[in-house]
PDB file of all heavy atoms in Angstrom:
ATOM      1  N   ASN A 103     178.046 188.034  36.373  1.00 92.00           N
ATOM      2  CA  ASN A 103     177.047 188.171  37.426  1.00 92.00           C
ATOM      3  C   ASN A 103     176.184 186.915  37.546  1.00 92.00           C
ATOM      4  O   ASN A 103     175.910 186.424  38.645  1.00 92.00           O
ATOM      5  CB  ASN A 103     176.153 189.379  37.153  1.00 92.00           C
ATOM      6  CG  ASN A 103     176.878 190.709  37.327  1.00 92.00           C
ATOM      7  OD1 ASN A 103     177.989 190.750  37.856  1.00 92.00           O
ATOM      8  ND2 ASN A 103     176.268 191.772  36.867  1.00 92.00           N
ATOM      9  N   LEU A 104     175.740 186.404  36.398  1.00 91.00           N
ATOM     10  CA  LEU A 104     174.859 185.233  36.410  1.00 91.00           C
ATOM     11  C   LEU A 104     175.588 183.979  36.875  1.00 91.00           C
ATOM     12  O   LEU A 104     175.037 183.170  37.629  1.00 91.00           O
ATOM     13  CB  LEU A 104     174.266 185.017  35.015  1.00 91.00           C
ATOM     14  CG  LEU A 104     173.298 186.107  34.526  1.00 91.00           C
ATOM     15  CD1 LEU A 104     172.866 185.828  33.094  1.00 91.00           C
ATOM     16  CD2 LEU A 104     172.080 186.199  35.434  1.00 91.00           C
ATOM     17  N   VAL A 105     176.829 183.808  36.427  1.00 89.00           N
ATOM     18  CA  VAL A 105     177.611 182.657  36.876  1.00 89.00           C
ATOM     19  C   VAL A 105     177.820 182.726  38.380  1.00 89.00           C
ATOM     20  O   VAL A 105     177.816 181.697  39.072  1.00 89.00           O
ATOM     21  CB  VAL A 105     178.958 182.594  36.138  1.00 89.00           C
ATOM     22  CG1 VAL A 105     179.910 181.596  36.793  1.00 89.00           C
ATOM     23  CG2 VAL A 105     178.746 182.209  34.676  1.00 89.00           C
ATOM     24  N   GLY A 106     177.956 183.935  38.912  1.00 86.00           N
ATOM     25  CA  GLY A 106     178.191 184.096  40.342  1.00 86.00           C
ATOM     26  C   GLY A 106     177.024 183.705  41.220  1.00 86.00           C
ATOM     27  O   GLY A 106     177.206 183.485  42.423  1.00 86.00           O
ATOM     28  N   VAL A 107     175.820 183.621  40.644  1.00 85.00           N
ATOM     29  CA  VAL A 107     174.653 183.249  41.452  1.00 85.00           C
ATOM     30  C   VAL A 107     174.186 181.825  41.154  1.00 85.00           C
ATOM     31  O   VAL A 107     173.140 181.402  41.667  1.00 85.00           O
ATOM     32  CB  VAL A 107     173.478 184.232  41.224  1.00 85.00           C
ATOM     33  CG1 VAL A 107     173.850 185.621  41.678  1.00 85.00           C
ATOM     34  CG2 VAL A 107     173.030 184.239  39.765  1.00 85.00           C
ATOM     35  N   LEU A 108     174.927 181.087  40.348  1.00 81.00           N
ATOM     36  CA  LEU A 108     174.568 179.693  40.094  1.00 81.00           C
ATOM     37  C   LEU A 108     174.666 178.894  41.396  1.00 81.00           C
ATOM     38  O   LEU A 108     175.646 179.023  42.131  1.00 81.00           O
ATOM     39  CB  LEU A 108     175.493 179.073  39.042  1.00 81.00           C
ATOM     40  CG  LEU A 108     175.321 179.557  37.605  1.00 81.00           C
ATOM     41  CD1 LEU A 108     176.379 178.909  36.707  1.00 81.00           C
ATOM     42  CD2 LEU A 108     173.925 179.252  37.081  1.00 81.00           C
ATOM     43  N   PRO A 109     173.686 178.056  41.688  1.00 74.00           N
ATOM     44  CA  PRO A 109     173.699 177.277  42.948  1.00 74.00           C
ATOM     45  C   PRO A 109     174.596 176.051  42.849  1.00 74.00           C
ATOM     46  O   PRO A 109     174.146 174.913  43.034  1.00 74.00           O
ATOM     47  CB  PRO A 109     172.217 176.892  43.119  1.00 74.00           C
ATOM     48  CG  PRO A 109     171.701 176.784  41.725  1.00 74.00           C
ATOM     49  CD  PRO A 109     172.437 177.841  40.925  1.00 74.00           C
ATOM     50  N   LEU A 110     175.880 176.259  42.579  1.00 70.00           N
ATOM     51  CA  LEU A 110     176.791 175.131  42.427  1.00 70.00           C
ATOM     52  C   LEU A 110     177.089 174.447  43.751  1.00 70.00           C
ATOM     53  O   LEU A 110     177.537 173.300  43.776  1.00 70.00           O
ATOM     54  CB  LEU A 110     178.108 175.598  41.796  1.00 70.00           C
ATOM     55  CG  LEU A 110     178.032 176.165  40.371  1.00 70.00           C
ATOM     56  CD1 LEU A 110     179.424 176.508  39.879  1.00 70.00           C
ATOM     57  CD2 LEU A 110     177.365 175.183  39.427  1.00 70.00           C
ATOM     58  N   SER A 111     176.823 175.135  44.853  1.00 64.00           N
ATOM     59  CA  SER A 111     177.160 174.575  46.163  1.00 64.00           C
ATOM     60  C   SER A 111     176.319 173.361  46.528  1.00 64.00           C
ATOM     61  O   SER A 111     176.661 172.627  47.455  1.00 64.00           O
ATOM     62  CB  SER A 111     176.997 175.647  47.247  1.00 64.00           C
ATOM     63  OG  SER A 111     177.898 176.717  47.028  1.00 64.00           O
ATOM     64  N   ILE A 112     175.211 173.148  45.789  1.00 62.00           N
ATOM     65  CA  ILE A 112     174.411 171.964  46.084  1.00 62.00           C
ATOM     66  C   ILE A 112     175.139 170.688  45.663  1.00 62.00           C
ATOM     67  O   ILE A 112     174.762 169.596  46.077  1.00 62.00           O
ATOM     68  CB  ILE A 112     173.038 172.037  45.374  1.00 62.00           C
ATOM     69  CG1 ILE A 112     173.215 172.088  43.851  1.00 62.00           C
ATOM     70  CG2 ILE A 112     172.250 173.234  45.875  1.00 62.00           C
ATOM     71  CD1 ILE A 112     171.894 172.088  43.098  1.00 62.00           C
ATOM     72  N   VAL A 113     176.180 170.847  44.833  1.00 64.00           N
ATOM     73  CA  VAL A 113     177.015 169.710  44.446  1.00 64.00           C
ATOM     74  C   VAL A 113     178.230 169.698  45.369  1.00 64.00           C
ATOM     75  O   VAL A 113     178.971 170.691  45.425  1.00 64.00           O
ATOM     76  CB  VAL A 113     177.464 169.813  42.977  1.00 64.00           C
ATOM     77  CG1 VAL A 113     178.342 168.626  42.600  1.00 64.00           C
ATOM     78  CG2 VAL A 113     176.254 169.905  42.063  1.00 64.00           C
ATOM     79  N   PRO A 114     178.457 168.625  46.104  1.00 61.00           N
ATOM     80  CA  PRO A 114     179.596 168.578  47.032  1.00 61.00           C
ATOM     81  C   PRO A 114     180.924 168.859  46.321  1.00 61.00           C
ATOM     82  O   PRO A 114     181.196 168.313  45.252  1.00 61.00           O
ATOM     83  CB  PRO A 114     179.552 167.145  47.565  1.00 61.00           C
ATOM     84  CG  PRO A 114     178.129 166.724  47.398  1.00 61.00           C
ATOM     85  CD  PRO A 114     177.645 167.387  46.147  1.00 61.00           C
ATOM     86  N   GLY A 115     181.716 169.735  46.906  1.00 63.00           N
ATOM     87  CA  GLY A 115     183.023 170.050  46.358  1.00 63.00           C
ATOM     88  C   GLY A 115     183.042 171.209  45.387  1.00 63.00           C
ATOM     89  O   GLY A 115     184.118 171.666  44.997  1.00 63.00           O
ATOM     90  N   LEU A 116     181.874 171.714  44.984  1.00 67.00           N
ATOM     91  CA  LEU A 116     181.813 172.830  44.053  1.00 67.00           C
ATOM     92  C   LEU A 116     181.364 174.089  44.791  1.00 67.00           C
ATOM     93  O   LEU A 116     180.588 174.030  45.734  1.00 67.00           O
ATOM     94  CB  LEU A 116     180.849 172.534  42.906  1.00 67.00           C
ATOM     95  CG  LEU A 116     181.257 171.436  41.923  1.00 67.00           C
ATOM     96  CD1 LEU A 116     180.207 171.298  40.826  1.00 67.00           C
ATOM     97  CD2 LEU A 116     182.623 171.718  41.316  1.00 67.00           C
ATOM     98  N   HIS A 117     181.871 175.211  44.314  1.00 74.00           N
ATOM     99  CA  HIS A 117     181.514 176.488  44.926  1.00 74.00           C
ATOM    100  C   HIS A 117     181.683 177.567  43.873  1.00 74.00           C
ATOM    101  O   HIS A 117     182.745 177.708  43.272  1.00 74.00           O
ATOM    102  CB  HIS A 117     182.403 176.788  46.136  1.00 74.00           C
ATOM    103  CG  HIS A 117     182.080 178.096  46.801  1.00 74.00           C
ATOM    104  ND1 HIS A 117     180.897 178.313  47.484  1.00 74.00           N
ATOM    105  CD2 HIS A 117     182.767 179.260  46.878  1.00 74.00           C
ATOM    106  CE1 HIS A 117     180.880 179.546  47.958  1.00 74.00           C
ATOM    107  NE2 HIS A 117     182.009 180.146  47.601  1.00 74.00           N
ATOM    108  N   THR A 118     180.612 178.294  43.614  1.00 80.00           N
ATOM    109  CA  THR A 118     180.678 179.348  42.615  1.00 80.00           C
ATOM    110  C   THR A 118     181.443 180.552  43.149  1.00 80.00           C
ATOM    111  O   THR A 118     181.648 180.701  44.360  1.00 80.00           O
ATOM    112  CB  THR A 118     179.268 179.776  42.191  1.00 80.00           C
ATOM    113  OG1 THR A 118     179.359 180.640  41.046  1.00 80.00           O
ATOM    114  CG2 THR A 118     178.573 180.511  43.320  1.00 80.00           C
ATOM    115  N   PHE A 119     181.863 181.415  42.246  1.00 83.00           N
ATOM    116  CA  PHE A 119     182.632 182.598  42.639  1.00 83.00           C
ATOM    117  C   PHE A 119     182.190 183.755  41.754  1.00 83.00           C
ATOM    118  O   PHE A 119     182.208 183.651  40.516  1.00 83.00           O
ATOM    119  CB  PHE A 119     184.129 182.339  42.470  1.00 83.00           C
ATOM    120  CG  PHE A 119     184.998 183.441  43.019  1.00 83.00           C
ATOM    121  CD1 PHE A 119     185.420 183.416  44.342  1.00 83.00           C
ATOM    122  CD2 PHE A 119     185.390 184.504  42.224  1.00 83.00           C
ATOM    123  CE1 PHE A 119     186.214 184.417  44.859  1.00 83.00           C
ATOM    124  CE2 PHE A 119     186.183 185.521  42.728  1.00 83.00           C
ATOM    125  CZ  PHE A 119     186.595 185.484  44.049  1.00 83.00           C
ATOM    126  N   ALA A 120     181.776 184.849  42.362  1.00 86.00           N
ATOM    127  CA  ALA A 120     181.325 186.030  41.629  1.00 86.00           C
ATOM    128  C   ALA A 120     182.492 186.994  41.460  1.00 86.00           C
ATOM    129  O   ALA A 120     182.864 187.681  42.409  1.00 86.00           O
ATOM    130  CB  ALA A 120     180.169 186.702  42.364  1.00 86.00           C
ATOM    131  N   VAL A 121     183.068 187.031  40.279  1.00 91.00           N
ATOM    132  CA  VAL A 121     184.251 187.878  40.072  1.00 91.00           C
ATOM    133  C   VAL A 121     183.904 189.354  40.174  1.00 91.00           C
ATOM    134  O   VAL A 121     184.749 190.180  40.542  1.00 91.00           O
ATOM    135  CB  VAL A 121     184.905 187.572  38.707  1.00 91.00           C
ATOM    136  CG1 VAL A 121     185.396 186.139  38.662  1.00 91.00           C
ATOM    137  CG2 VAL A 121     183.939 187.829  37.557  1.00 91.00           C
ATOM    138  N   THR A 122     182.650 189.719  39.872  1.00 91.00           N
ATOM    139  CA  THR A 122     182.254 191.127  39.942  1.00 91.00           C
ATOM    140  C   THR A 122     181.953 191.577  41.365  1.00 91.00           C
ATOM    141  O   THR A 122     181.592 192.735  41.578  1.00 91.00           O
ATOM    142  CB  THR A 122     181.023 191.369  39.054  1.00 91.00           C
ATOM    143  OG1 THR A 122     180.035 190.364  39.309  1.00 91.00           O
ATOM    144  CG2 THR A 122     181.399 191.344  37.587  1.00 91.00           C
ATOM    145  N   SER A 123     182.074 190.676  42.332  1.00 89.00           N
ATOM    146  CA  SER A 123     181.923 191.065  43.731  1.00 89.00           C
ATOM    147  C   SER A 123     183.248 191.503  44.338  1.00 89.00           C
ATOM    148  O   SER A 123     183.329 191.734  45.545  1.00 89.00           O
ATOM    149  CB  SER A 123     181.339 189.902  44.550  1.00 89.00           C
ATOM    150  OG  SER A 123     182.232 188.815  44.576  1.00 89.00           O
ATOM    151  N   HIS A 124     184.284 191.623  43.497  1.00 89.00           N
ATOM    152  CA  HIS A 124     185.598 192.083  43.946  1.00 89.00           C
ATOM    153  C   HIS A 124     185.901 193.438  43.320  1.00 89.00           C
ATOM    154  O   HIS A 124     185.812 193.603  42.103  1.00 89.00           O
ATOM    155  CB  HIS A 124     186.685 191.074  43.580  1.00 89.00           C
ATOM    156  CG  HIS A 124     186.784 189.936  44.556  1.00 89.00           C
ATOM    157  ND1 HIS A 124     187.824 189.792  45.442  1.00 89.00           N
ATOM    158  CD2 HIS A 124     185.952 188.914  44.807  1.00 89.00           C
ATOM    159  CE1 HIS A 124     187.634 188.718  46.188  1.00 89.00           C
ATOM    160  NE2 HIS A 124     186.497 188.167  45.817  1.00 89.00           N
ATOM    161  N   ILE A 125     186.256 194.391  44.157  1.00 91.00           N
ATOM    162  CA  ILE A 125     186.498 195.756  43.703  1.00 91.00           C
ATOM    163  C   ILE A 125     187.658 195.824  42.726  1.00 91.00           C
ATOM    164  O   ILE A 125     187.690 196.698  41.855  1.00 91.00           O
ATOM    165  CB  ILE A 125     186.759 196.683  44.920  1.00 91.00           C
ATOM    166  CG1 ILE A 125     186.815 198.150  44.503  1.00 91.00           C
ATOM    167  CG2 ILE A 125     188.028 196.275  45.642  1.00 91.00           C
ATOM    168  CD1 ILE A 125     185.523 198.697  43.960  1.00 91.00           C
ATOM    169  N   THR A 126     188.615 194.886  42.818  1.00 91.00           N
ATOM    170  CA  THR A 126     189.741 194.908  41.883  1.00 91.00           C
ATOM    171  C   THR A 126     189.265 194.666  40.454  1.00 91.00           C
ATOM    172  O   THR A 126     189.765 195.294  39.511  1.00 91.00           O
ATOM    173  CB  THR A 126     190.771 193.838  42.276  1.00 91.00           C
ATOM    174  OG1 THR A 126     190.110 192.572  42.450  1.00 91.00           O
ATOM    175  CG2 THR A 126     191.483 194.205  43.560  1.00 91.00           C
ATOM    176  N   VAL A 127     188.305 193.766  40.280  1.00 92.00           N
ATOM    177  CA  VAL A 127     187.790 193.461  38.939  1.00 92.00           C
ATOM    178  C   VAL A 127     186.948 194.615  38.416  1.00 92.00           C
ATOM    179  O   VAL A 127     187.138 195.076  37.278  1.00 92.00           O
ATOM    180  CB  VAL A 127     186.967 192.163  38.956  1.00 92.00           C
ATOM    181  CG1 VAL A 127     186.327 191.903  37.595  1.00 92.00           C
ATOM    182  CG2 VAL A 127     187.840 190.985  39.354  1.00 92.00           C
ATOM    183  N   THR A 128     186.014 195.106  39.219  1.00 94.00           N
ATOM    184  CA  THR A 128     185.152 196.193  38.765  1.00 94.00           C
ATOM    185  C   THR A 128     185.953 197.475  38.541  1.00 94.00           C
ATOM    186  O   THR A 128     185.634 198.256  37.648  1.00 94.00           O
ATOM    187  CB  THR A 128     184.023 196.447  39.769  1.00 94.00           C
ATOM    188  OG1 THR A 128     184.566 196.825  41.039  1.00 94.00           O
ATOM    189  CG2 THR A 128     183.178 195.190  39.953  1.00 94.00           C
TER     190      THR A 128
END
Side-chain angles (χ1 to χ4, degrees):
N103 290 348
L104 293 176
V105 168
V107 297
L108 289 176
L110 297 183
S111 297
I112 61 177
V113 179
L116 292 182
H117 180 68
T118 190
F119 187 89
V121 297
T122 48
S123 65
H124 278 252
I125 188 65
T126 51
V127 175
T128 61

